[in-house]
Amino acid sequence: MSTAPAIELKGISKAFGAVQANKDISIRVMPGTIHGIIGENGAGKSTLMSILYGFYKADKGDIYISGQKTAIPDSQAAIAAGIGMVFQHFKLVQNFTVLENVILGAEDGALLAPSLRKARKELTALAAEYELNVNPDALIEEIGVGMQQRVEILKALYRQADILILDEPTGVLTPAEADQLFRILHRLKDEGKTIILITHKLREIMEATDTVSVMRRGEMTATVKTSETSPEHLAELMVGRKVLLRVDKTPAQPGEKVLEVENLRVVDAAGVERVKGISLEVRAGEILGIAGVAGNGQSELLEVLGGMENGTGTIRVNGKELDLTGKFSDARSRRKRGIAHVPEDRQREGLIMDFKAWENTAFGYDDDDAYRAGLLMDNAAIREDAQGKIERFDVRPANSELEAKSFSGGNQQKIVLAREIERDPDLLLIGQPTRGVDIGAIEFIHQQIVALRDKGKAILLVSVELEEILSLSDRIAVIFDGKLMGERLPAETDEKELGLMMAGMTGKDS
Amino acid sequence: MEQLPKWADLIVVPLVGLILAFILSMLMVLATGHDPLDALKLMVSGALGSTYGWGYTLYYATNFIFTGLAVAVAFHASLFNIGGEGQAALGGLGVALVCLFIPWPHWTIALLAATAAAGIFGALWALIPAYLQAKRGSHIVITTIMFNFIAASLLNYVLVNQLRPKGAMDPATAKFPKPSHLPSLGEILNSVGIPFAKGTPANVTLLVALAACVFVYYLIWRTRLGYQLRAFGKSQPAAVYAGINPVKITIITMMISGALAGLMAINNVMGEAERLILGSVEGAGFIGIAVALMGRSHPIGILFSALLFGALYQGGAELGLWTSIPRELVIVIQALVILFTGALDNMVRLMVAKVLVRPKRAEA
Amino acid sequence: MDYLTLLQILDSALRLATPLLFACLAGLFSERAGIFDIGLEGKMLMAAFFSAATAYSTGSVWLGLLAGIAGSMVLSGIHGLASITFRGNQLISGVAINFLASGLTVLIGLSWFKLGGQTPSLSGDARFQGIDLPFAEAAMSVPLIGPLYAEVLSGHTLLVYVALLCVPATWYILYRTRFGLRLRAVGENPAAVDTAGISVVGLRYAAVAICGVLCGLAGAYLATGLGASFVKEMTAGRGYIALAALIFAKWRPWYALSATLLFGLLEAVSNRYPSLDLGFITLPSQFMQALPYILTVVILAGFVGKATPPRAGGQPYVKER
Amino acid sequence: ADPAIIFDLGGKFDKSFNEAAFNGATRWAEETGSRFAEVELQSDAQREQALRRFAEAGSNPIVMAGFAFGNALGEVAGDYPDTRFVIIDMVVDAPNVRSVVFNEHEGSYLVGYMAAQASKTNTVGFIGGMDIPLIRKFACGYAQGAKAANPDTKVISNMTGTTGAAWNDPVKGGELTRAQISQGADVVYAAAGGTGIGVLQTAADEGILSIGVDSNQNHLHPGKVLTSMMKRVDNAVYNAMKDGPGLETGFSVMGLANEGVSYSMDEHNASLVSDEMKATVDAVAAKIIEGEITVHDYMSDESCPSLSF
Ligand SMILES: Nc1ncnc2c1ncn2[C@@H]1O[C@H](COP(=O)(O)OP(=O)(O)OP(=O)(O)O)[C@@H](O)[C@H]1O
Ligand SMILES: Nc1ncnc2c1ncn2[C@@H]1O[C@H](COP(=O)(O)OP(=O)(O)OP(=O)(O)O)[C@@H](O)[C@H]1O
Ligand SMILES: [Mg+2]
Ligand SMILES: [Mg+2]
């Protein structure tokens, strides 16, 4: 036990303005291990790792790499010290090819051609070695997030990183992709590389890591051997109270048909048909879960239902047909028909990040009479309404004057949910409700969704988290390539079967 | 970046920027062989030291308030309207047509009509670029630049070939009939017993400009339309999610912006010149960009930066009158003011922070 | 219109396009790196002044060229300082630079030459002379192509050819070199560049500096190539037109060539036909003067469609809010 | 009291009438060792301001160059009955105002006549700054002169632009010159302020003749500028200042007769203008002065017999 830790951080502190993101943090990571870091949204995990990678500069503290005190003023120094990092929000150039992204900053000379040639070869080798297949000539904006993440990993490997940091790598992955990622990580570990893994998913921590550190409100509260702990214990360390890890719900009591979709087709701006004749229905008091690998048409399905895109076919809500292309095909008309929508991408669509929280609670409902005072908007009323929502949905900090961007992801999601759920809609469309959200918040969000169902509302849930689909849905439909592959009851299926269906393999009865 | 108390950010930083700009400017005055302190005194007292000075300062400021607001409204929707110059020119045409061809019984009614005409003409001149941006994706920056040139040609044609009285040398319309003349600020204030220099061009339009500030404030922060256009400006996908029609918002915003730019014409065309002359906008459309940016697209900020530019204009005129300092120096001073208070504000902020924040740290 | 007229118009178009092309490529480098630049006009003006002033004083157009580039680069430096180092508003900085150039050139010109801000006119080695391309004379006899070569391509000053060569050079730098890759990346996603271990600030300054050099060439061409002295405000809005051309060109080098040639062509046509008698109606000169701008709008609306600027354009790179 | 002079928006170095006015004032100052107040305007609103401020400060006489002052002076003159005003290029009817106007059409006629004589291609060009009445007046006189010398002469006319930049765009001036050359013009007359610099330059470069305007521009390109249409704004200003506060008011026309306009001859263009040519032109000038030839003034009925706009 005389080997020096691959990484040792001593007394790291970092403040962003008034926010103390990291407080006197120390941590040691042994070489050849996978070290997990968990913590609530905003606990300071990403900040800590960004400091290690030279993206931020710590206010205080020292970094030791393999026992040597090392200054890491910028990412160049981190790369030189053998550190690679896959950020929570990828750092890729959208309109570059995979190859170009890989060589960026690691070119071999002033001209590109030789670098590209070399990288192409290297990539093929890496792909073979680690099952990291990507088309080197594909544009980043045209490949899925799973692929993008591979590119990020390839970037690190191409730079011969010995220490690989992954910040919430599975937040956007399908189960199959996640499994593959962990295989790769184990392979890397076997080769002696050191891996730091940030995740909100306790299952992943339990399955993949050797040691795990828990962060809370900028502090490192515990570091334990994974073999000596349990998910419940970790959850408690993280949130500071006991957390229910299972969704607690009674069997559904389906009522009237609320949503009926017949032969829905959607063609995107590029002329590609993304939804290819989907029919489904959701009844009052039930949750229909749509499982599928991202990019198989579920986003477009939600967007048409939510009035963000045009489509063809028939959609009825409470028996009345919706306008799919005309004057009433916009999102506002949908809301008037009792449809609420929690979009997949809360930061791009669900919220205006520069607006204050209270302004965001009226977003999409600014024409509500309750928000109006003559010709003007009744800001006082909106503020009051917002404060109530924020308190009922336990948004932290409970300050409606803060801008949306200064809340953590989980709390941003709560703002959107509060806004949509408290509208008391007949139909709730909800996409990726817990993406990037910590377990404390997940528990809360799931409870709210179930409570809405129990009030007799229809819910259409789209998620790439199979676990979430399985535990929330009353019925599960699997989407593949714009078509439904079949329906299952959660009790009668499992992740394996769903995973196969998601890959286009037909299930038992369809 | 260091956190500064709000008062320091709002008052100290611009003030220090202004001082820096003036120090540099005065060095330049020195370099051209003049006495910088005299020049500075002349500028300040010329612009702000008498009601006469204010009469001019406020006149220019009125122009800049309108064009500044025009740029700001578009900015909130992430639209960059460089077309203020053309829109204001067309506003002038609207004012001229209304004042020349309709006999108004009283200036108040004429003002209402001219306001409407200026706004409508300005709005219509912004409509085509807006429509093309919304429907065809034609970049609004190019189209508004192009429309400035087209407006210049149009006015040249109309003034030389159509509206110019026969035999007149000036490419300008005839003088507007008496009833459409607006009372000057001096006349108004004197009538309520406040002494104010007569014969200065500031006129009742200043009140319209102030009203426009209030209007824009309410529009942007208190109405649904404002809410929607700000949301649209921050995130277009989110706007679609909320059911905000991008085409409609783009067109409405640009038309409001164009109307505000057009309104400038009631100040310079109706209030001051009392006729429409060629090139009457005199670059105020472009200054409006600087005014809006420096005012952080907020009506109050715009009010102050318009005043600053108005004072620079009038102070510069006094320099021109009483010294042999070339008028280009005033342009350089303007440039330095824009640079230090607008573009290098973070540098100034850092300097101020060093002075203000350091000692506090030391105490702690 | 006969063939010769067409050639003459093309010849004129090429000359008129050259300053636009330089400025457009200048803007391309800067904006591709994420720094918006509405100060092209001011930089050109500064360069025009210093090139003419120096060429006159030294009698060497080459020194003039260098001085013009230096003058333009000083303004680039200010723009860089404001928008890169101090993360200020790039539009404001550009506006300030235009004002600064407009005032300073006359101010300095007045004190140096006492000619009302103008420089004395240049002659001989103090200005660029036309270059006859090889075989231009002989080519005249070849039908169609010959006159095209002799009339349109041959006989321009060196800078015209430099400008034309800048197009493939820009393309090559942008798409075939490490620097170009990084430059494009920093305009799209500076965080990607930063985390790849490259200095965002360094790259952006480099881009702004190149922008300065190219604006310098544009200005020098105006004052020592096309004209032979500096006259106040002689850029006459060309910086703004170049900006429009840049958007028109969707920030791409070859498109920039077409866009600026188109602008040059439209202007040349309206120069050639100051008013047009269509038989039933005579289009007034004002209409012909507006025609290039009207056609630009029409073309833009009809054929070009949406242009997506570099994604990180206009925003300072701020890591810590 | 010192005299004062107010320059129009183009500024005192506009290569046109403002600059000529400035030269006149400077000449007076140098000769008499006195001083004069001056201001360059930046905005239309400053016309009245400058007039009043100078009048209040006791400047007398106050000289202004440019038709655009007409309105402002009309308003102001009555308020300062003891101040004498001199306005150039415009007529203002007030007891304390001297209005000086120039017969630019006559001078332009002469240079047009010379242009046609010098032209070998029977094609001459005119380049104006902006399409405004004053410039049409120049163009119309020029075209008449050219046709008078040779009825077959073709006159090509261009205006530079419609914004203020039109007066300061030598590059465009040069390009317009080339366009005219390619249409056969071999003499070009520029009435376009700073833009004209480019016209004269390009003409010299391309080996054709040019004609300067307002002041004597022959020296700019010796041996290449055929002549210049001199509009003696400098003399008008000089005289006003020399006459001082007691100057005679009223309306004064500066034409060929009183050398208000003329064509320039000096060592720079001596080789270009043959004695014969000079003789005929002088004869034409004499006829104009005597009234034997009437040059049509565009402003009289806003039409031009020899050129359409
Ligand atoms: N660039 C920044 N500027 C200012 N504040 C920041 C910045 N990045 C993070 N913060 C703040 O620092 C705190 C820690 O953020 P961090 O991103 O490290 O949390 P995290 O543990 O990674 O959370 P999550 O699980 O949501 O990713 C938060 O309060 C966050 O708002
Ligand atoms: N064919 C349709 N498809 C989808 N939505 C529709 C359709 N027709 C109407 N709607 C929506 O239902 C709403 C109710 O219709 P109605 O015509 O009563 O409008 P409203 O309640 O008076 O609303 P507004 O105040 O906007 O006029 C509409 O505003 C529109 O949003
Ligand atoms: Mg994080
Ligand atoms: Mg209704």
Side-chain angles (χ1 to χ4, degrees):
Chain A
M1 287 304 282
S2 63
T3 45
I7 299 162
E8 181 163 15
L9 303 179
K10 284 189 186 166
I12 299 281
S13 290
K14 172 76 186 171
F16 293 112
V19 179
Q20 190 70 39
N22 286 163
K23 279 178 240 169
D24 193 22
I25 291 184
S26 299
I27 183 178
R28 327 167 100 216
V29 178
M30 299 311 286
T33 64
I34 300 184
H35 190 113
I37 298 183
I38 55 170
E40 283 184 291
N41 292 123
K45 309 178 294 288
S46 298
T47 304
L48 185 66
M49 289 303 114
S50 301
I51 288 171
L52 177 55
Y53 190 65
F55 190 68
Y56 296 139
K57 261 192 223 119
D59 300 334
K60 263 206 296 252
D62 297 318
I63 300 172
Y64 293 80
I65 308 285
S66 307
Q68 297 286 313
K69 184 167 169 181
T70 311
I72 303 190
D74 52 26
S75 300
Q76 201 174 0
I79 294 168
I83 304 175
M85 177 157 173
V86 177
F87 282 84
Q88 188 172 2
H89 303 283
F90 299 154
K91 309 290 183 200
L92 295 171
V93 181
Q94 289 292 316
N95 59 358
F96 276 19
T97 63
V98 168
L99 212 50
E100 287 172 324
N101 268 290
V102 167
I103 63 167
L104 181 67
E107 308 89 343
D108 284 310
L111 296 186
L112 280 187
S115 308
L116 287 170
R117 229 173 294 130
K118 183 185 149 204
R120 192 182 291 276
K121 240 195 268 150
E122 197 111 330
L123 234 49
T124 326
L126 285 171
E129 196 176 342
Y130 299 107
E131 305 174 59
L132 282 167
N133 282 310
V134 280
N135 171 7
D137 298 312
L139 289 177
I140 296 297
E141 59 198 354
E142 285 166 4
I143 61 178
V145 277
M147 279 294 173
Q148 295 186 7
Q149 187 179 62
R150 283 189 195 176
V151 179
E152 285 284 21
I153 296 174
L154 283 169
K155 263 168 71 177
L157 296 180
Y158 185 74
R159 287 162 173 74
Q160 292 168 338
D162 289 322
I163 301 164
L164 189 62
I165 307 166
L166 296 116
D167 192 352
E168 280 184 47
T170 58
V172 291
L173 297 189
T174 60
E177 285 172 325
D179 285 346
Q180 203 214 348
L181 173 70
F182 287 113
R183 278 204 302 280
I184 296 167
L185 294 185
H186 277 112
R187 185 87 134 260
L188 290 169
K189 172 185 154 181
D190 293 344
E191 284 180 9
K193 296 194 195 291
T194 309
I195 291 160
I196 300 182
L197 176 70
I198 301 178
T199 178
H200 286 301
K201 295 174 193 162
L202 295 177
R203 193 179 59 128
E204 290 172 359
I205 291 286
M206 298 312 293
E207 283 172 12
T209 64
D210 301 306
T211 349
V212 53
S213 298
V214 183
M215 286 186 72
R216 252 188 93 192
R217 309 211 176 137
E219 285 174 283
M220 189 63 78
T221 51
T223 298
V224 291
K225 278 213 158 45
T226 312
S227 51
E228 295 165 6
T229 184
S230 69
E232 288 74 17
H233 181 224
L234 285 177
E236 202 179 327
L237 281 175
M238 214 167 119
V239 185
R241 64 177 161 84
K242 284 220 179 313
V243 183
L244 202 60
L245 291 176
R246 287 257 122 219
V247 180
D248 198 15
K249 71 178 197 310
T250 53
Q253 315 272 310
E256 295 286 303
K257 284 182 198 168
V258 175
L259 173 69
E260 294 161 89
V261 176
E262 278 164 32
N263 194 24
L264 182 71
R265 290 174 187 277
V266 183
V267 178
D268 71 7
V272 180
E273 191 172 16
R274 307 308 290 254
V275 175
K276 301 173 177 170
I278 281 186
S279 302
L280 55 80
E281 54 180 59
V282 188
R283 290 171 178 272
E286 72 165 354
I287 300 175
L288 174 66
I290 308 262
V293 178
N296 274 288
Q298 61 269 66
S299 306
E300 288 78 8
L301 173 65
L302 272 190
E303 282 174 0
V304 171
L305 288 169
M308 295 170 69
E309 276 226 42
N310 288 344
T312 56
T314 317
I315 302 178
R316 274 185 297 273
V317 172
N318 290 325
K320 278 199 278 182
E321 197 172 323
L322 295 184
D323 178 4
L324 295 189
T325 48
K327 191 164 161 253
F328 294 113
S329 66
D330 65 327
R332 207 168 284 278
S333 303
R334 294 288 195 273
R335 292 199 173 87
K336 288 193 179 163
R337 282 296 176 82
I339 303 175
H341 181 188
V342 177
E344 291 184 309
D345 189 336
R346 54 183 167 258
Q347 302 203 335
R348 222 170 75 93
E349 293 165 349
L351 294 166
I352 300 288
M353 300 302 276
D354 290 327
F355 275 16
K356 300 194 165 142
W358 66 266
E359 284 179 293
N360 270 304
T361 57
F363 194 52
Y365 300 99
D366 50 288
D367 53 350
D368 190 324
D369 284 335
Y371 294 155
R372 202 155 17 180
L375 284 173
L376 303 179
M377 289 183 82
D378 189 347
N379 287 351
I382 301 176
R383 276 196 171 93
E384 197 186 304
D385 190 35
Q387 200 58 42
K389 287 189 168 118
I390 279 179
E391 276 158 24
R392 284 189 295 281
F393 275 73
D394 190 29
V395 177
R396 277 177 278 175
N399 180 356
S400 64
E401 296 296 329
L402 291 179
E403 286 169 351
K405 65 181 174 204
S406 43
F407 290 90
S408 72
N411 286 304
Q412 287 171 358
Q413 185 71 330
K414 287 185 197 167
I415 296 175
V416 179
L417 274 171
R419 180 181 72 211
E420 301 301 325
I421 287 182
E422 295 220 341
R423 281 280 135 187
D424 202 19
D426 296 334
L427 169 66
L428 177 68
L429 309 170
I430 180 162
Q432 319 298 351
T434 57
R435 178 177 277 176
V437 172
D438 68 61
I439 48 169
I442 290 176
E443 179 194 24
F444 181 82
I445 292 168
H446 283 175
Q447 282 167 359
Q448 297 300 319
I449 295 173
V450 172
L452 191 69
R453 179 203 72 165
D454 291 344
K455 273 175 77 182
K457 309 298 180 176
I459 293 170
L460 183 72
L461 164 76
V462 168
S463 174
V464 292
E465 300 290 345
L466 269 189
E467 212 181 329
E468 178 166 74
I469 293 273
L470 275 165
S471 58
L472 273 183
S473 313
D474 300 311
R475 283 186 295 129
I476 299 170
V478 180
I479 192 168
F480 173 75
D481 191 25
K483 288 182 284 242
L484 291 187
M485 299 300 296
E487 243 183 64
R488 296 287 181 273
L489 293 177
E492 294 165 8
T493 185
D494 55 19
E495 291 199 14
K496 204 165 148 205
E497 188 196 13
L498 293 177
L500 282 175
M501 290 168 76
M502 282 162 65
M505 256 70 90
T506 27
K508 280 173 269 181
D509 64 356
S510 50
Chain B
M1 197 124 304
E2 298 288 348
Q3 290 284 316
L4 279 181
K6 202 161 181 177
W7 58 268
D9 218 31
L10 283 178
I11 299 169
V12 180
V13 172
L15 217 58
V16 173
L18 209 57
I19 292 171
L20 282 176
F22 270 94
I23 290 177
L24 265 188
S25 307
M26 290 309 130
L27 287 179
M28 231 165 266
V29 174
L30 199 64
T32 53
H34 300 267
D35 182 347
L37 276 184
D38 277 359
L40 185 63
K41 245 190 275 169
L42 194 56
M43 274 191 94
V44 175
S45 70
L48 308 172
S50 63
T51 57
Y52 151 80
W54 278 99
Y56 278 90
T57 298
L58 288 175
Y59 163 72
Y60 297 120
T62 307
N63 285 340
F64 303 149
I65 289 174
F66 283 119
T67 53
L69 289 176
V71 175
V73 167
F75 238 81
H76 278 290
S78 276
L79 296 165
F80 190 19
N81 178 12
I82 319 197
E85 199 74 11
Q87 290 145 13
L90 263 287
L93 186 58
V95 168
L97 294 178
V98 159
C99 291
L100 281 175
F101 297 113
I102 306 174
W104 298 104
H106 191 259
W107 67 265
T108 44
I109 305 170
L111 176 61
L112 283 180
T115 304
I120 290 169
F121 272 63
L124 288 179
W125 203 246
L127 174 64
I128 301 171
Y131 177 84
L132 292 178
Q133 157 95 38
K135 281 283 197 192
R136 313 277 327 177
S138 316
H139 206 293
I140 199 133
V141 169
I142 320 184
T143 44
T144 49
I145 291 179
M146 295 299 135
F147 266 67
N148 285 340
F149 286 108
I150 299 172
S153 291
L154 179 66
L155 260 91
N156 187 303
Y157 177 78
V158 169
L159 285 177
V160 171
N161 297 326
Q162 308 293 331
L163 292 181
R164 180 172 55 95
K166 219 154 179 76
M169 264 298 185
D170 241 354
T173 67
K175 197 108 173 151
F176 300 154
K178 251 265 127 62
S180 68
H181 291 190
L182 296 179
S184 74
L185 202 59
E187 287 161 18
I188 299 174
L189 290 178
N190 288 336
S191 72
V192 295
I194 304 170
F196 195 92
K198 266 188 266 179
T200 57
N203 60 76
V204 65
T205 313
L206 174 64
L207 302 179
V208 182
L210 293 177
C213 284
V214 176
F215 166 78
V216 168
Y217 173 80
Y218 274 91
L219 172 77
I220 298 292
W221 281 284
R222 299 302 302 278
T223 66
R224 269 184 67 197
L225 178 62
Y227 180 88
Q228 296 187 357
L229 78 82
R230 280 186 297 128
F232 174 76
K234 297 289 184 197
S235 166
Q236 297 205 18
V240 172
Y241 160 79
I244 297 165
N245 184 337
V247 173
K248 223 162 90 183
I249 279 286
T250 303
I251 290 180
I252 293 178
T253 305
M254 277 302 288
M255 287 184 73
I256 294 176
S257 173
L260 283 165
L263 286 188
M264 177 192 137
I266 54 177
N267 189 46
N268 66 338
V269 175
M270 191 181 186
E272 199 276 326
E274 296 172 342
R275 60 190 186 133
L276 178 62
I277 54 178
L278 194 57
S280 61
V281 186
E282 295 173 346
F286 290 111
I287 303 238
I289 298 171
V291 167
L293 291 169
M294 283 175 55
R296 297 291 180 258
S297 295
H298 192 289
I300 296 181
I302 288 169
L303 193 64
F304 278 104
S305 56
L307 263 179
L308 173 63
F309 274 87
L312 280 176
Y313 252 61
Q314 164 58 9
E318 292 294 312
L319 271 191
L321 281 168
W322 310 122
T323 70
S324 57
I325 292 174
R327 66 174 175 172
E328 282 75 18
L329 189 75
V330 178
I331 301 180
V332 173
I333 296 178
Q334 280 172 9
L336 292 172
V337 168
I338 300 175
L339 195 64
F340 280 98
T341 58
L344 283 172
D345 56 337
N346 283 332
M347 181 182 85
V348 179
R349 194 163 290 129
L350 274 177
M351 290 166 52
V352 172
K354 274 213 176 105
V355 177
L356 282 180
V357 178
R358 269 280 161 73
K360 258 190 223 156
R361 283 256 167 94
E363 283 162 31
Chain C
M1 189 183 0
D2 57 85
Y3 188 55
L4 187 65
T5 309
L6 178 71
L7 292 183
Q8 286 159 348
I9 290 178
L10 289 178
D11 186 39
S12 171
L14 187 54
R15 280 190 301 269
L16 288 167
T18 297
L20 299 178
L21 181 55
F22 273 128
C24 188
L25 292 176
L28 192 148
F29 273 101
S30 182
E31 302 207 348
R32 269 298 177 111
I35 303 294
F36 280 176
D37 195 353
I38 53 174
L40 297 175
E41 176 90 0
K43 277 180 251 180
M44 275 163 85
L45 193 64
M46 202 72 161
F49 173 74
F50 278 103
S51 61
T54 309
Y56 174 76
S57 313
T58 62
S60 158
V61 70
W62 295 107
L63 290 177
L65 183 64
L66 284 182
I69 290 174
S72 162
M73 288 196 53
V74 168
L75 294 186
S76 275
I78 294 178
H79 191 50
L81 199 68
S83 52
I84 304 170
T85 304
F86 290 110
R87 299 174 194 148
N89 185 309
Q90 299 170 11
L91 294 174
I92 308 190
S93 170
V95 171
I97 281 169
N98 288 339
F99 274 83
L100 199 60
S102 149
L104 274 185
T105 46
V106 179
L107 220 50
I108 302 175
L110 274 174
S111 79
W112 284 1
F113 301 107
K114 318 248 174 322
L115 274 176
Q118 194 189 319
T119 63
S121 64
L122 310 171
S123 56
D125 286 343
R127 56 190 290 224
F128 284 101
Q129 307 293 342
I131 297 174
D132 285 317
L133 295 184
F135 315 117
E137 288 286 308
M140 272 311 266
S141 55
V142 183
L144 284 180
I145 308 281
L148 185 74
Y149 179 76
E151 282 281 331
V152 180
L153 289 179
S154 176
H156 295 285
T157 59
L158 179 68
L159 291 181
V160 173
Y161 303 110
V162 172
L164 290 175
L165 287 178
C166 275
V167 176
T170 302
W171 175 84
Y172 187 81
I173 290 173
L174 226 47
Y175 296 104
R176 288 291 179 267
T177 68
R178 172 175 66 189
F179 174 70
L181 183 79
R182 294 176 171 191
L183 188 90
R184 284 183 290 134
V186 82
E188 291 289 329
N189 186 355
V193 168
D194 190 8
T195 54
I198 311 163
S199 159
V200 172
V201 169
L203 266 178
R204 289 194 159 170
Y205 264 107
V208 166
I210 296 175
C211 172
V213 173
L214 288 169
C215 280
L217 288 167
Y221 177 70
L222 285 179
T224 63
L226 260 187
S229 68
F230 173 82
V231 172
K232 68 175 177 180
E233 303 288 357
M234 73 182 292
T235 41
R238 288 184 178 82
Y240 294 102
I241 301 285
L243 206 63
L246 177 60
I247 301 172
F248 213 158
K250 301 184 174 176
W251 294 268
R252 292 183 195 155
W254 287 107
Y255 286 19
L257 177 64
S258 337
T260 49
L261 279 178
L262 180 72
F263 278 113
L265 183 69
L266 292 175
E267 192 182 338
V269 168
S270 83
N271 284 350
R272 180 67 184 240
Y273 301 101
S275 61
L276 207 53
D277 190 353
L278 295 179
F280 57 100
I281 185 174
T282 305
L283 297 175
S285 66
Q286 289 91 349
F287 180 81
M288 291 307 289
Q289 264 151 0
L291 196 60
Y293 310 115
I294 296 172
L295 285 179
T296 302
V297 173
V298 171
I299 293 169
L300 207 58
F303 307 102
V304 176
K306 214 178 182 100
T308 327
R311 252 164 273 222
Q315 302 140 12
Y317 178 51
V318 190
K319 281 201 276 196
E320 309 189 8
R321 295 179 298 268
Chain D
D2 286 341
I5 181 161
I6 306 172
F7 301 106
D8 208 341
L9 299 176
K12 64 182 170 188
F13 298 115
D14 66 347
K15 302 285 145 216
S16 184
F17 61 89
N18 281 309
E19 193 159 337
F22 175 65
N23 292 337
T26 317
R27 172 149 54 98
W28 172 82
E30 276 164 8
E31 279 178 19
T32 60
S34 321
R35 293 153 45 86
F36 61 91
E38 58 172 319
V39 64
E40 291 177 274
L41 300 187
Q42 272 184 303
S43 158
D44 200 62
Q46 287 166 358
R47 295 181 199 285
E48 198 176 320
Q49 180 182 23
L51 284 171
R52 288 189 188 279
R53 296 286 275 165
F54 280 150
E56 275 157 18
S59 296
N60 200 1
I62 299 172
V63 186
M64 67 217 80
F67 55 75
F69 281 97
N71 253 299
L73 184 59
E75 308 249 320
V76 170
D79 293 349
Y80 305 95
D82 299 333
T83 307
R84 297 282 154 101
F85 297 94
V86 177
I87 182 166
I88 292 164
D89 271 1
M90 185 76 191
V91 179
V92 170
D93 195 12
N96 54 340
V97 173
R98 174 194 281 183
S99 308
V100 185
V101 296
F102 289 84
N103 286 340
E104 294 96 346
H105 52 293
E106 292 179 0
S108 296
Y109 185 94
L110 290 190
V111 298
Y113 200 93
M114 291 169 74
Q117 282 183 311
S119 172
K120 299 194 176 63
T121 57
N122 286 346
T123 310
V124 299
F126 174 83
I127 293 174
M130 201 188 274
D131 188 9
I132 55 172
L134 179 67
I135 297 301
R136 289 184 176 185
K137 190 175 174 183
F138 277 85
C140 184
Y142 177 71
Q144 288 175 68
K147 301 252 179 194
N150 176 359
D152 296 333
T153 304
K154 195 172 122 200
V155 182
I156 310 168
S157 148
N158 275 95
M159 298 295 178
T160 307
T162 55
T163 63
W167 306 103
N168 288 310
D169 195 344
V171 166
K172 180 139 188 177
E175 219 40 60
L176 287 170
T177 311
R178 285 198 177 88
Q180 296 196 342
I181 293 172
S182 63
Q183 293 169 81
D186 60 355
V187 186
V188 202
Y189 175 32
T195 301
I197 304 285
V199 174
L200 268 51
Q201 179 73 50
T202 302
D205 290 348
E206 298 289 318
I208 67 156
L209 295 172
S210 57
I211 299 173
V213 78
D214 287 340
S215 56
N216 186 350
Q217 298 185 313
N218 296 358
H219 67 279
L220 289 178
H221 302 281
K224 290 172 178 167
V225 180
L226 177 63
T227 181
S228 298
M229 199 293 274
M230 308 246 281
K231 174 179 171 186
R232 303 308 299 259
V233 174
D234 53 340
N235 284 352
V237 173
Y238 176 86
N239 290 337
M241 291 196 170
K242 205 174 78 181
D243 294 349
L247 62 74
E248 245 177 79
T249 58
F251 176 57
S252 98
V253 179
M254 305 280 280
L256 281 177
N258 51 5
E259 298 199 339
V261 295
S262 63
Y263 71 96
S264 63
M265 283 303 303
D266 57 19
E267 73 271 25
H268 301 302
N269 68 341
S271 60
L272 298 173
V273 184
S274 64
D275 292 342
E276 191 186 336
M277 233 169 111
K278 190 167 160 18
T280 37
V281 177
D282 286 338
V284 169
K287 281 185 188 162
I288 295 175
I289 293 167
E290 281 154 24
E292 234 174 281
I293 299 178
T294 39
V295 183
H296 179 83
D297 179 359
Y298 173 82
M299 291 313 294
S300 64
D301 62 352
E302 306 217 340
S303 74
C304 183
S306 321
L307 195 64
S308 64
F309 294 101

